[in-house]
Amino acid sequence: MPDTRPAPAAAATTESQIAVHWREEEYFKPSPKFVAQANLTDPAVNERFAEKNFPECFNEYAEMLTWYERWQKTLDTSDPPFWKWFVGGKINASFNCVDRHLAKYKNKAAIITVPEPEDEDPVAVTYQELFVRVNEFAALLRDFAGLKAGDRVTIHMPMLAELPITMLACARLGVIHSVVFGGFSGEACGLRAADSGSRVLVYMDGYYRSGKLIDHKASAEIAVATAEKEGQKIDKVLVWRRYPGKYASAAPMVKGRDVFVDDVLKDYCGARVDPVPMDAEAPLFLMYTSGTTGKPKGCQHRTGGYMAYVTGTSKYIQDIHPEDTYWCMADIGWITGHSYIVYGPLALAATSVIYEGVPSYPDAGRVWRIAQRLDVNIFHTSPTAIRMLRKAGPDEPKKYHYHFKHMTTVGEPIEPEVWKWYYHEVGKDEAVIVDTWWQTENGGFLCSTKPAIDPMKPGSAGPGVPGIYPIIYDEKGEEVKAGSGKAGNICIRNPWPGIFQTIWGDRDRFVRQYYAKYNKDPKSKDWRDWPYFAADGAVLASDGYFRILGRVDDVINVAGHRLGTKELESACLTVPEVAEAAVVPVVDEIKGRVPEIYIALKPGYAPTKEITDRVIATLETMIGKIARPKRVHIVPDMPKTRSGKIMRRVLAAISNTLDTGDITTLANPDIVEQIRVAVQGKEKLKTQEGPEDLKQFGTVD
Ligand code: WT7
């Protein structure tokens, strides 16, 4: 029976709580057709991964891989919270994603790249071709660049096949890769290269975005200079060319330092490099979190446990089979791309699609044309992208003949309104949806429904995935019970194989930031005393489903009442004309903070006072008078990061006349001044020193 009762109104809230006004949603069931073909249909999985079988339950995931030597111990807890997984095991990630599929699948596509220009055809790289290219590039890395196991390499590349080829070549040698999102600046790349101690950078000369061939190599100059300023010398910059033989950048090639990969590769034609059997605990890669403030954190992921976790969750939660054509629209420069474009899908011998460009280029039908042409059947993207697609072309999906069996949403809470559009329009009422909650630090999914077993509930991620035991604590460390209607801090009680090993070079920060808060005894060697603190607010319904409310510091304290920005935004989106909403706090003498709303409208609607009034009325009815905004601004577009996240920090700065800070990494920096003029007037007001919570708002690193 669906639980359709409204969540109980939160009683007087304390600092640790976020008031919860979400209405419970109806369940949706997977179709019998989906269930009939799914990898995981036996509910006994819950029993197999129950706490009494922990940690050995995770052997089931490790056994999906091919090992040189089997592990002796599943989990070693002797140095908490630095857990060790599959101790004594020897494995190579590149072998598992490439070589082991040759016998059965060598002529099957491993990767299909879709160039942004629509007159360039998609390119399929078979497993055999991937094998050849990974081997040859690994030979180049080893023999030309002098790299060996344990060295670090920083990779700053766009979404083309050469990026996973570079990663898999590193993994073949045991070289630790650190991929920096292609849309980041050269400076960001240089800082990360310096932090990781990389002396080799791998670049691409250029790539297409919104119809323009971007000069990407130019950013390498800045990266090298920045790294050197930080004390890290860069000896080599290896430059792939978007069109081999034709240099797409105006930046000079520095003699002795820069080389074209396609030139040097000629010397390694036919080379084969034996994969290096790595210790299960050897680091596979670093992934820097995309914080806009503070020093970037290099999340260090291990080889064995990470590979086991992404393979197991790709099989059970993404329902990937070797026959599937799987398209995750994330960028490989984020953890989602590492786990669920490259390592998970390829370990399962799937076909993984990589699209070079902008989803809405040249028009709102592009994504669906790609899905139709490649006959994609598993689709994976974020609420931001879904909102963007809905805004650009709400009726586009039905014009194209594609059929998804499975869709994923990840990265932020999805508003039920948007979920339903995804389900009905994009999924055509056929596809199952999983809302997967996790973080860069986690390696793979933490909460999600099991697609053929658990019903879906719009806006809720679901229960912990197999072997993950989440819990909600209040500020004092008391458990917040299911069905109480109260929110708190979601934590994971147990270690799991995908959890990162540490922050590169900063063990103290690792312990402080993720474990100190709820650690029961710093001397304890029992994992039960070391809950992992995720810094997200969440509420647990009586059906065991977690609803994620966003980062714990993304809240607005109105007269002592903590409002989750997400639920306000979700309410705004029920007004039919509204495509996107962002809520920020503004200083109010009486209430402390009050919300201020930014909205962008769907195409074809002009801003009117009538829409503004309806947004206010909706907030008052859905949340209460407490949520009445100071002002509602209708803007042409939101300031967004290159990965599509709305920069609430920038909007909060405009609303409060604070300094907007660094906006150079935005996808659309010009919009900031337009919004500023609309909100503050033409004349530039003198920026003020804001209170700490406003300066911190939306800047969680
Ligand atoms: C933060 C992690 C690894 C996924 C990509 C983002 C938010 C992530 C969900 C979801 C609600 C979500 C959380 C989390 N988040 N997935 N399904 N529902 N919120 O990785 O950049 O490390 O961000 O994204 O707030 O802490 P990330």
Side-chain angles (χ1 to χ4, degrees):
M1 266 294 285
D3 182 359
T4 52
R5 289 163 301 163
T13 49
T14 69
E15 272 300 301
S16 72
Q17 294 168 0
I18 303 170
V20 178
H21 309 267
W22 294 101
R23 204 169 52 83
E24 277 294 298
E25 294 282 336
E26 302 268 358
Y27 293 116
F28 287 67
K29 288 229 167 71
S31 70
K33 191 171 161 200
F34 175 81
V35 176
Q37 61 77 61
N39 283 324
L40 182 65
T41 51
D42 181 2
V45 65
N46 292 330
E47 173 73 11
R48 288 205 305 281
F49 282 82
E51 197 167 333
K52 66 176 188 328
N53 295 322
F54 179 87
E56 280 73 25
C57 54
F58 283 114
N59 291 347
E60 181 167 331
Y61 287 176
E63 281 158 5
M64 294 175 185
L65 299 168
T66 308
W67 295 73
Y68 297 106
E69 267 172 51
R70 193 183 162 96
W71 57 99
Q72 282 122 32
K73 195 166 186 200
T74 302
L75 172 65
D76 172 351
T77 63
S78 60
D79 182 21
F82 300 91
W83 319 118
K84 293 182 190 65
W85 282 94
F86 308 115
V87 183
K90 292 254 188 288
I91 189 168
N92 184 282
S94 178
F95 179 88
N96 274 279
C97 292
V98 186
D99 309 40
R100 70 165 178 157
H101 304 316
L102 294 178
K104 216 163 151 191
Y105 297 116
K106 74 175 177 182
N107 291 324
K108 178 182 165 319
I111 295 168
I112 301 179
T113 29
V114 181
E116 188 187 75
E118 236 171 333
D119 54 9
E120 284 184 35
D121 289 319
V123 182
V125 180
T126 62
Y127 274 96
Q128 170 67 19
E129 185 62 17
L130 184 63
F131 173 75
V132 169
R133 297 190 67 187
V134 166
N135 269 280
E136 292 180 355
F137 193 63
L140 184 155
L141 289 177
R142 185 186 63 190
D143 301 338
F144 177 79
L147 292 163
K148 55 175 192 324
D151 291 347
R152 279 81 56 207
V153 164
T154 295
I155 303 170
H156 196 199
M157 291 175 67
M159 287 287 285
L160 291 161
E162 288 76 8
L163 174 50
I165 288 168
T166 302
M167 293 160 65
L168 292 165
C170 288
R172 201 166 186 85
L173 300 170
V175 168
I176 303 168
H177 59 70
S178 169
V179 179
V180 177
F181 170 51
F184 273 161
S185 63
E187 192 171 348
C189 174
L191 286 175
R192 286 158 176 75
D195 188 78
S196 64
S198 303
R199 56 174 188 79
V200 176
L201 302 182
V202 187
Y203 259 82
M204 177 71 94
D205 61 344
Y207 62 96
Y208 277 97
R209 252 195 104 73
S210 298
K212 280 203 288 285
L213 187 56
I214 305 279
D215 182 343
H216 184 59
K217 165 68 168 52
S219 97
E221 298 313 313
I222 302 164
V224 170
T226 307
E228 290 186 353
K229 215 161 56 207
E230 297 281 311
Q232 177 63 43
K233 172 124 178 40
I234 304 292
D235 305 337
K236 286 210 158 40
V237 182
L238 310 176
V239 185
W240 292 92
R241 282 186 281 195
R242 173 70 174 74
Y243 299 99
K246 239 169 63 190
Y247 189 37
S249 165
M253 294 289 282
V254 175
K255 218 170 165 236
R257 188 196 71 186
D258 303 358
V259 290
F260 291 128
V261 170
D262 53 296
D263 283 347
V264 184
L265 267 182
K266 291 183 186 129
D267 298 339
Y268 297 95
C269 177
R272 297 291 178 265
V273 174
D274 285 339
V276 179
M278 299 300 294
D279 208 276
E281 277 293 307
L284 177 61
F285 66 86
L286 305 179
M287 168 61 63
Y288 283 85
T289 50
S290 50
T292 43
T293 56
K295 194 164 166 269
K297 291 179 286 192
C299 295
Q300 177 184 321
H301 285 277
R302 57 173 61 81
T303 306
Y306 171 83
M307 284 302 295
Y309 199 68
V310 299
T311 306
T313 51
S314 291
K315 182 159 180 175
Y316 288 170
I317 308 297
Q318 298 285 277
D319 196 48
I320 294 178
H321 303 61
E323 300 73 29
D324 289 326
T325 304
Y326 169 90
W327 183 17
C328 170
M329 281 216 319
D331 195 286
I332 292 173
W334 307 122
I335 190 72
T336 302
H338 276 48
S339 301
Y340 298 113
I341 296 177
V342 180
Y343 287 112
L346 296 183
L348 294 173
T351 299
S352 191
V353 175
I354 296 177
Y355 172 50
E356 176 182 24
V358 174
S360 53
Y361 184 85
D363 56 61
R366 183 64 194 272
V367 167
W368 319 122
R369 279 201 295 284
I370 294 172
Q372 172 180 278
R373 174 157 181 172
L374 304 182
D375 199 16
V376 170
N377 66 340
I378 307 183
F379 185 67
H380 184 157
T381 192
S382 64
T384 302
I386 300 167
R387 284 192 293 267
M388 188 272 290
L389 292 164
R390 174 173 172 254
K391 179 179 173 194
D395 301 319
E396 285 297 305
K398 59 169 74 69
K399 299 183 191 156
Y400 297 94
H401 301 285
Y402 66 83
H403 291 279
F404 297 149
K405 69 166 183 178
H406 181 295
M407 306 194 298
T408 300
T409 168
V410 65
E412 33 174 336
I414 184 164
E415 300 84 352
E417 286 299 307
V418 176
W419 191 101
K420 286 173 196 164
W421 182 79
Y422 196 35
Y423 185 81
H424 295 305
E425 300 301 323
V426 178
K428 306 180 176 182
D429 292 319
E430 302 166 329
V432 74
I433 295 181
V434 292
D435 179 347
T436 58
W437 169 73
W438 59 299
Q439 312 171 302
T440 303
E441 294 86 338
N442 307 153
F445 307 144
L446 294 180
C447 284
S448 166
T449 48
K450 294 173 282 300
I453 297 177
D454 308 318
M456 308 159 243
K457 191 164 75 172
S460 290
V465 297
I468 299 292
Y469 321 128
I471 188 166
I472 298 183
Y473 285 125
D474 68 13
E475 215 48 45
K476 294 200 291 290
E478 297 293 330
E479 179 174 358
V480 179
K481 289 271 167 34
S484 67
K486 292 211 182 96
N489 297 321
I490 185 166
C491 295
I492 308 298
R493 289 197 293 113
N494 61 304
W496 66 98
I499 182 70
F500 67 143
Q501 292 176 296
T502 186
I503 296 173
W504 178 258
D506 201 344
R507 280 173 67 102
D508 289 350
R509 187 172 176 195
F510 173 77
V511 179
R512 205 171 57 238
Q513 195 160 343
Y514 301 96
Y515 293 97
K517 191 169 173 80
Y518 292 117
N519 172 237
K520 299 185 187 103
D521 169 10
K523 291 212 189 67
S524 168
K525 298 207 187 302
D526 184 345
W527 59 261
R528 289 168 195 81
D529 292 326
W530 295 88
Y532 168 83
F533 171 64
D536 275 335
V539 58
L540 176 58
S542 46
D543 58 7
Y545 281 32
F546 290 88
R547 182 162 216 161
I548 309 296
L549 304 172
R551 306 291 295 175
V552 284
D553 36 11
D554 252 7
V555 297
I556 302 181
N557 191 329
V558 186
H561 198 82
R562 285 163 63 90
L563 299 176
T565 44
K566 255 293 117 165
E567 68 170 343
L568 302 192
E569 289 165 6
S570 197
C572 296
L573 285 175
T574 64
V575 175
E577 293 88 346
V578 174
E580 289 173 309
V583 177
V584 301
V586 289
V587 176
D588 181 272
E589 263 176 25
I590 299 183
K591 299 178 187 158
R593 304 282 174 274
V594 290
E596 187 151 301
I597 316 278
Y598 288 82
I599 54 179
L601 302 178
K602 289 179 191 159
Y605 292 105
T608 60
K609 171 143 190 319
E610 200 264 322
I611 296 177
T612 310
D613 288 345
R614 261 190 297 127
V615 167
I616 296 171
T618 305
L619 283 165
E620 288 191 354
T621 31
M622 290 189 71
I623 315 286
K625 287 256 189 285
I626 187 89
R628 190 183 170 85
K630 190 157 222 162
R631 292 183 290 179
V632 176
H633 305 288
I634 302 182
V635 294
D637 198 3
M638 299 286 179
K640 287 186 191 137
T641 63
R642 293 288 293 266
S643 65
K645 281 201 180 172
I646 297 177
M647 290 292 278
R648 292 181 185 77
R649 166 180 76 78
V650 172
L651 297 173
I654 293 174
S655 283
N656 292 284
T657 336
L658 308 176
D659 183 4
T660 47
D662 180 18
I663 53 166
T664 53
T665 58
L666 293 192
N668 53 352
D670 299 344
I671 197 78
V672 176
E673 182 57 14
Q674 276 183 53
I675 298 176
R676 193 200 63 74
V677 170
V679 173
Q680 300 176 350
K682 268 229 159 56
E683 192 154 323
K684 208 154 189 153
L685 302 176
K686 193 169 161 5
T687 57
Q688 308 176 0
E689 258 306 291
E692 206 49 37
D693 68 318
L694 284 186
K695 280 193 278 181
Q696 294 297 319
F697 182 80
T699 60
V700 177
D701 63 4

